[in-house]
Amino acid sequence: MVPRIVGPLPGPRARALIERDARVVSPSYTRGYPLVIERAWGSTVEDVDGNLFLDCTAGIAVNATGHAHPDIVRAIADQAGRFIHMSGTDFYYEPQVRLAEKVAAIVPIEGGSGVRSFFGNSGTEAIEACIKMARHATRRQGLIAFFGGFHGRTLGALALTASKPVQRDKVGPLMPGVYHAPFADCYRCPVGREPDSCAAECLDFLDQQIFAHLVSPDEVAAVVVEPIQGEGGYVVAPDQFLQRLREITRTHGIVLVADEVQSGMGRTGRMFAIEHAGVQPDAIAIAKGIASGLPLGIAAARADLMSWPPGTHASTFGGNAVACAAALETIRLLETQLMANAASVGAHLMAGIQALKDKHALIGDVRGRGLMIGVELVRDRTTKERAGRERDAVVNACFERGLLLLGAGKNAIRFSPPLVLTREEAETAVRIFDQALSEVR
Ligand SMILES: Cc1ncc(COP(=O)(O)O)c(C=O)c1O
C-alpha cells in the first residue's frame, strides 16, 4: 500500500476525538502522536479523516496476521455465533483444550513431562502466572530479572520490570524478593567487553555478585528473561547469554522463564525467539501476537511445574472461547505462511535500514531478527550519546508522511509490522524512514 495523507495532521475529526479523550480517559497512556483509527486491513490503517498509514507497529507487535485477516474474522465470527464466554475456570470447552494441545506442540520447552498452559488475558497476567507457578512449584521466593527488561505493569510483574522509572514511580512498594542483573546489550556492554570474544561475562554478575552477596541460588524460584528486550529497545540477547543462563538455572534448579510476549509468535521468523539460541526454557510467557488482537495471555510450562491444585490460580475471562478460536487460526496462518514471510521480508527490511547507516550518522545500531527490528539513534557514533529527542522527532516525521512507528527504550525506534508485510511495503517504510532521518538530522 502507499500511504496517503490528505491534510495536516491531526485532521478535524481526529482533533475533536482527542479533545473528548482528554476529558474522560486516563492520562497515563503514552500516546506519542495523534493517530485516531477508523479502520484497518492488512498493513494499512485508515484514520477518521481519510488518511492512510503504513503500519509498522502492529498495535505494539500484536496484529501478527495483519488487520482484519478474513480467516481470523471468520474464526472469531464462527465461535461468537456458538458461544462467546462460559468461563474456562469453571467449565470445559473444545477451543481451550485444542489451543493447549497446540501450544504444547509448538513451544520449545525442556523436559519430557509434557506441557501445560494457564490462560489469562494479557502479557502481564502471563508473567504473574509464571511467577506464582514457579514459587509454588519450587517453594522458593527469589526472582531474578534484568535491567532494561519489561514484563508488565501489575504489581508483581512490575517488580520484575526495570525499564523506565516512570513505570514504578510512586506506586510502590512492589513485590519483594526480586533482584536485577545486567542484560547482555552488546552495543552498550554493561561489563565493557567485546561481543566477538565475550562468553557472556555479564552473567558473572549474577553468579559472582547476586548469588554471592544477596540471595543464594537455592532461594531463587525463577529467572525471567526476554530473549529480545522489547520495550527496552529491541536489544537481542546473544545466543551464549541465553545458553549460559540455561546452564546456571539448570545447575541450581531455578525455573527459566522466557518472556516471549513481544518476541514470540513468529515475529522473529521462528515461533519463539529463544529457538534461535537453541535454548529450551522451563516456561514461556505468551501474549500479544497469539490471538491477532484479541486479549489472551498464556503461561506455558513443563507439566511437572504446573502442579498447583484447583483454586490456586484462575481468571474469569482467561482463555475466552473467542480468543482461543482466534489463536488457533493465528497459529495456523503463522505455520503455513507468515513465519516464513517474517524471515524473508524481515531480512529485506533489515538490509534496507542497514543501508541507511552510510547516509545518516544518527543511526548508531540496527539489530533484530525477522520483523522485530530496532534502530538505535545516537548523536555521536563514538560516544554513543543517546539521541532521544531526535528519536521522537523522527517518529513524528514518519507519522506525518504516513508511516506508523513506535519508540522503544530511551532512543531506539522499533519496526514491528504485521507479519503480512510485503517486500514493497518494506521498501516504502525504508523510503519514508530515510526522508524523516534527512529532515531531523
Ligand atoms: C516482553 C513483555 N512482557 C510483558 C508485557 C506486558 O504485556 P501486556 O501489556 O499485555 O500486559 C509486554 C508488553 O509490552 C512485553 O513487551
Side-chain angles (χ1 to χ4, degrees), residues 60 121-127 149-154 157 161 226 228-231 259-263 285 287-288 296 414:
I60 326 187
N121 307 280
S122 64
T124 199
E125 287 174 74
I127 292 292
F150 186 90
H151 302 286
R153 295 173 186 269
T154 51
T161 290
E226 290 165 272
I228 301 178
Q229 283 192 339
E231 174 69 17
D259 181 345
E260 295 261 10
V261 166
Q262 191 150 173
S263 57
K288 288 191 184 284
L296 181 63
R414 61 183 122 180

Side-chain angles (χ1 to χ4, degrees), residues 106-283:
I106 62 172
V107 288
I109 283 179
E110 189 164 89
S113 74
V115 171
R116 288 179 182 271
S117 285
F118 173 87
F119 295 98
N121 307 280
S122 64
T124 199
E125 287 174 74
I127 292 292
E128 293 289 338
C130 288
I131 294 171
K132 287 175 73 174
M133 180 207 62
R135 282 184 163 179
H136 195 277
T138 61
R139 303 292 197 266
R140 304 172 180 180
Q141 291 190 5
L143 295 155
I144 309 277
F146 293 89
F147 289 113
F150 186 90
H151 302 286
R153 295 173 186 269
T154 51
L155 286 172
L158 185 60
L160 302 180
T161 290
S163 181
K164 296 183 182 124
V166 67
Q167 293 153 353
R168 303 169 140 238
D169 278 354
K170 303 177 191 65
V171 298
L174 305 179
M175 180 181 68
V178 179
Y179 306 86
H180 286 94
F183 187 78
D185 177 350
C186 293
Y187 182 62
R188 297 175 183 277
C189 178
V191 293
R193 299 302 167 98
E194 291 303 317
D196 290 345
S197 53
C198 181
E201 270 97 345
C202 39
L203 282 176
D204 291 348
F205 188 89
L206 174 60
D207 219 13
Q208 291 159 28
Q209 301 291 335
I210 294 182
F211 288 165
H213 300 297
L214 289 173
V215 60
S216 66
D218 58 11
E219 290 291 317
V220 175
V223 170
V224 183
V225 66
E226 290 165 272
I228 301 178
Q229 283 192 339
E231 174 69 17
Y234 278 27
V235 184
V236 184
D239 293 351
Q240 57 200 15
F241 177 79
L242 296 169
Q243 289 158 359
R244 189 158 170 221
L245 204 50
R246 178 67 282 188
E247 282 162 24
I248 293 171
T249 49
R250 193 181 293 120
T251 302
H252 298 295
I254 297 170
V255 176
L256 178 61
V257 179
D259 181 345
E260 295 261 10
V261 166
Q262 191 150 173
S263 57
M265 304 320 295
R267 176 153 296 283
T268 66
R270 299 267 183 95
M271 194 59 88
F272 296 97
I274 201 160
E275 292 174 45
H276 293 276
V279 169
Q280 295 187 310
D282 302 300

